[in-house]
Amino acid sequence: MIHIKTPQEIEEFKVAGALSKTVLRRAGRMVRPGVTTREIDQMVESFIRLHGAVPGFKGLYGFPASICASANEEIVHGIPSERMLVEGDIISIDTGATAGGWVGDNAWTFYVGTPPTETQALCEVTLDCLKAGIEQAVPGNHIGDIGHAVQTLAEKNGFGVVREYVGHGVGRMMHEDPNVPNFGKKGRGVRLQAGMVIAIEPMICQGTYKNHTLANGWTVVTNDGKPAAHYENTVAITKDGPVILTQDADGPWCPFQGGE
């Protein structure tokens, strides 16, 4: 069932969205060679709880941490650990906070130092895919319009679009209807209407989009070992156009470069 939010509820939603973006930005500032993903996870959990909210991921379906930390060939659902980031890595950090009964959900892929040029290109195109998808999130369009915009841009640049993992509705729960694929055809799927809130999150691969899950039961990696990028914002569909709910005083976008 798709839950339509009132204008007042969308305003309330912005508190969770702002906290989720603020902590994501703080996580990005920690990204540098020598830092472990567990250290970032601990900071995120402490920051969210300090602000009277609850980490959205910890315990969700049994997930053991407060962030998903997915480096290089890891697409999504990476588990934080004692693994140290190294020069040239990229890392997708996915953060979410539940505040005031609403859930904010967003992700960003940060550079660890200076990744290879082709990897930076992947990240830049994936961010452009997110923006292209958001542009389609208007009343009267369809879910397929979002996926078509993402897929067209990614494949035009020679990149693979993950099929098995998709965006989703967001509300009082992290995952609600409808699913929001990053591929599709114009005019297909659920018709968008004002009051819907969705997470748009392109997951784009430098090589093949085919993937598998590691033995830990969570971490999804590319079959060819090439890197993947992941960006996400929570977006409200309104009569005046898309409104990004995961934004703080600095806006909805984070820098590529970690450690800033």
Side-chain angles (χ1 to χ4, degrees), residues 85-121:
L85 301 176
V86 301
E87 172 69 32
D89 282 349
I90 57 171
I91 181 165
S92 163
I93 299 177
D94 199 340
T95 65
T98 302
W102 301 102
V103 178
D105 186 14
N106 57 184
W108 209 262
T109 300
F110 297 98
Y111 300 166
V112 185
T114 305
T117 301
E118 58 270 25
T119 304
Q120 294 184 41

XYZ file of all heavy atoms in Angstrom, residues 85-121:
269
model
N 40.384 2.301 5.224
C 40.315 2.882 3.893
C 41.722 3.199 3.408
O 42.598 3.575 4.207
C 39.477 4.163 3.927
C 38.028 3.989 4.407
C 37.340 5.341 4.490
C 37.267 3.048 3.496
N 41.931 3.048 2.105
C 43.257 3.311 1.533
C 43.134 4.299 0.376
O 42.066 4.455 -0.233
C 43.949 2.011 1.063
C 44.122 1.037 2.216
C 43.169 1.360 -0.068
N 44.211 4.969 0.102
C 44.273 5.937 -0.992
C 43.759 5.324 -2.292
O 44.147 4.225 -2.679
C 45.724 6.393 -1.176
C 45.980 7.249 -2.395
C 45.360 8.630 -2.317
O 45.256 9.168 -1.192
O 44.976 9.166 -3.375
N 42.853 6.064 -2.944
C 42.309 5.612 -4.219
C 41.011 4.849 -4.127
O 40.374 4.568 -5.155
N 40.573 4.492 -2.891
C 39.274 3.839 -2.717
C 38.143 4.823 -3.027
O 38.321 6.054 -2.994
C 39.079 3.396 -1.261
C 39.810 2.120 -0.889
O 40.316 1.426 -1.790
O 39.888 1.821 0.322
N 36.969 4.266 -3.269
C 35.726 5.017 -3.116
C 34.883 4.256 -2.109
O 35.024 3.037 -1.961
C 34.951 5.196 -4.436
C 34.614 3.854 -5.090
C 35.701 6.112 -5.386
C 33.657 3.965 -6.283
N 34.022 4.977 -1.397
C 33.166 4.297 -0.428
C 31.787 4.935 -0.397
O 31.643 6.149 -0.228
C 33.783 4.280 0.984
C 32.851 3.541 1.951
C 34.119 5.693 1.473
C 33.488 3.149 3.251
N 30.779 4.097 -0.592
C 29.388 4.516 -0.443
C 29.007 4.378 1.023
O 29.159 3.301 1.610
C 28.466 3.649 -1.303
O 27.125 3.767 -0.882
N 28.532 5.476 1.602
C 28.034 5.460 2.975
C 26.547 5.779 2.928
O 26.138 6.798 2.382
C 28.786 6.471 3.855
C 30.282 6.113 3.912
C 28.186 6.501 5.266
C 31.121 7.101 4.699
N 25.764 4.885 3.497
C 24.303 5.013 3.515
C 23.897 5.241 4.967
O 24.212 4.432 5.846
C 23.682 3.721 2.972
C 22.238 3.889 2.527
O 21.597 4.858 2.970
O 21.763 3.047 1.752
N 23.240 6.375 5.248
C 22.813 6.684 6.601
C 21.309 6.930 6.635
O 20.725 7.400 5.661
C 23.524 7.931 7.171
O 23.140 9.081 6.412
C 25.035 7.776 7.120
N 20.714 6.618 7.767
C 19.300 6.882 7.950
C 19.005 7.119 9.414
O 19.626 6.509 10.286
N 18.070 8.033 9.683
C 17.692 8.326 11.055
C 16.176 8.402 11.160
O 15.510 8.939 10.276
C 18.302 9.653 11.506
N 15.642 7.859 12.260
C 14.219 7.977 12.553
C 14.049 9.046 13.613
O 14.566 8.928 14.727
C 13.647 6.642 13.052
O 13.867 5.637 12.055
C 12.160 6.757 13.328
N 13.324 10.108 13.260
C 13.107 11.231 14.173
C 11.662 11.705 14.033
O 11.162 11.867 12.923
C 14.063 12.383 13.844
N 11.001 11.880 15.153
C 9.612 12.325 15.121
C 8.691 11.345 14.432
O 7.628 11.736 13.929
N 9.092 10.095 14.388
C 8.265 9.065 13.773
C 8.460 8.904 12.279
O 7.849 8.029 11.663
N 9.339 9.731 11.674
C 9.609 9.649 10.246
C 11.037 9.197 9.997
O 11.917 9.386 10.833
C 9.368 11.005 9.574
C 7.973 11.493 9.739
C 7.527 12.446 10.605
C 6.814 11.022 9.048
N 6.178 12.610 10.498
C 5.704 11.756 9.545
C 6.604 10.078 8.054
C 4.404 11.557 9.078
C 5.297 9.884 7.593
C 4.227 10.610 8.098
N 11.268 8.617 8.829
C 12.576 8.059 8.487
C 13.224 8.874 7.369
O 12.611 9.112 6.325
C 12.439 6.586 8.024
C 13.798 6.037 7.613
C 11.843 5.734 9.125
N 14.467 9.296 7.597
C 15.268 9.883 6.522
C 16.244 8.845 6.009
O 16.769 8.044 6.783
N 16.503 8.840 4.717
C 17.371 7.826 4.112
C 18.151 8.467 2.979
O 17.560 9.032 2.046
C 16.502 6.667 3.592
C 17.311 5.486 3.064
O 18.526 5.427 3.331
O 16.717 4.623 2.393
N 19.487 8.410 3.066
C 20.316 8.960 1.990
C 21.678 8.291 1.956
O 22.103 7.640 2.911
C 20.453 10.471 2.063
C 21.017 11.039 3.361
O 21.086 12.257 3.522
N 21.422 10.208 4.306
N 22.345 8.411 0.809
C 23.655 7.778 0.630
C 24.512 8.644 -0.275
O 24.003 9.434 -1.080
C 23.499 6.376 0.039
N 25.829 8.463 -0.139
C 26.774 9.206 -0.962
C 28.024 8.369 -1.154
O 28.399 7.601 -0.269
C 27.152 10.517 -0.288
C 27.518 11.594 -1.259
C 28.772 11.981 -1.646
C 26.603 12.417 -1.972
N 28.680 12.999 -2.553
C 27.356 13.291 -2.775
C 25.207 12.508 -2.015
C 26.775 14.232 -3.613
C 24.631 13.442 -2.836
C 25.412 14.294 -3.623
N 28.642 8.505 -2.304
C 29.915 7.836 -2.555
C 31.028 8.876 -2.469
O 31.033 9.853 -3.221
C 29.922 7.145 -3.920
O 28.867 6.163 -3.949
C 31.249 6.447 -4.170
N 31.943 8.659 -1.531
C 33.026 9.594 -1.267
C 34.351 9.057 -1.806
O 34.597 7.840 -1.805
C 33.180 9.822 0.241
C 31.974 10.444 0.890
C 31.037 9.656 1.549
C 31.772 11.811 0.852
C 29.923 10.214 2.167
C 30.662 12.393 1.468
C 29.737 11.591 2.115
N 35.207 9.971 -2.232
C 36.559 9.615 -2.654
C 37.467 9.504 -1.428
O 37.414 10.346 -0.529
C 37.158 10.685 -3.557
C 36.439 10.976 -4.841
C 36.756 12.121 -5.574
C 35.450 10.129 -5.345
C 36.120 12.410 -6.770
C 34.808 10.418 -6.538
C 35.138 11.561 -7.242
O 34.501 11.854 -8.412
N 38.311 8.481 -1.428
C 39.369 8.368 -0.424
C 40.657 8.825 -1.107
O 41.241 8.073 -1.900
C 39.503 6.930 0.107
C 40.535 6.882 1.234
C 38.159 6.394 0.573
N 41.054 10.060 -0.852
C 42.181 10.597 -1.605
C 41.756 10.842 -3.044
O 40.726 11.457 -3.305
N 42.532 10.316 -3.984
C 42.265 10.543 -5.403
C 42.106 9.209 -6.123
O 43.098 8.538 -6.438
C 43.402 11.343 -6.049
O 43.609 12.559 -5.316
C 43.068 11.679 -7.493
N 40.872 8.783 -6.395
C 40.657 7.530 -7.124
C 41.070 7.686 -8.584
O 41.267 8.807 -9.080
C 39.148 7.310 -7.009
C 38.680 8.240 -5.945
C 39.616 9.396 -5.953
N 41.167 6.576 -9.318
C 41.463 6.645 -10.750
C 40.443 7.500 -11.492
O 39.278 7.582 -11.092
C 41.396 5.181 -11.192
C 41.660 4.383 -9.946
C 41.070 5.183 -8.835
N 40.885 8.109 -12.577
C 40.022 9.003 -13.352
C 38.732 8.319 -13.784
O 37.646 8.921 -13.717
C 40.776 9.509 -14.590
O 41.955 10.199 -14.157
C 39.922 10.450 -15.410
N 38.818 7.072 -14.226
C 37.623 6.377 -14.703
C 36.634 6.114 -13.559
O 35.419 6.075 -13.763
C 37.976 5.075 -15.413
C 38.751 4.062 -14.591
C 40.271 4.225 -14.699
O 40.745 5.345 -14.988
O 40.975 3.206 -14.488
N 37.159 5.937 -12.337
C 36.279 5.745 -11.189
C 35.584 7.050 -10.812
O 34.404 7.073 -10.461
C 37.079 5.199 -9.986
O 37.739 3.993 -10.372
C 36.170 4.901 -8.809
N 36.321 8.143 -10.895
C 35.698 9.446 -10.653
C 34.589 9.707 -11.669
O 33.524 10.240 -11.318
C 36.756 10.546 -10.720
C 37.790 10.477 -9.606
C 38.760 11.645 -9.650
O 38.373 12.784 -9.893
N 40.032 11.365 -9.416
N 34.821 9.326 -12.926
C 33.801 9.510 -13.956
C 32.547 8.716 -13.614
O 31.417 9.200 -13.803
C 34.342 9.098 -15.320
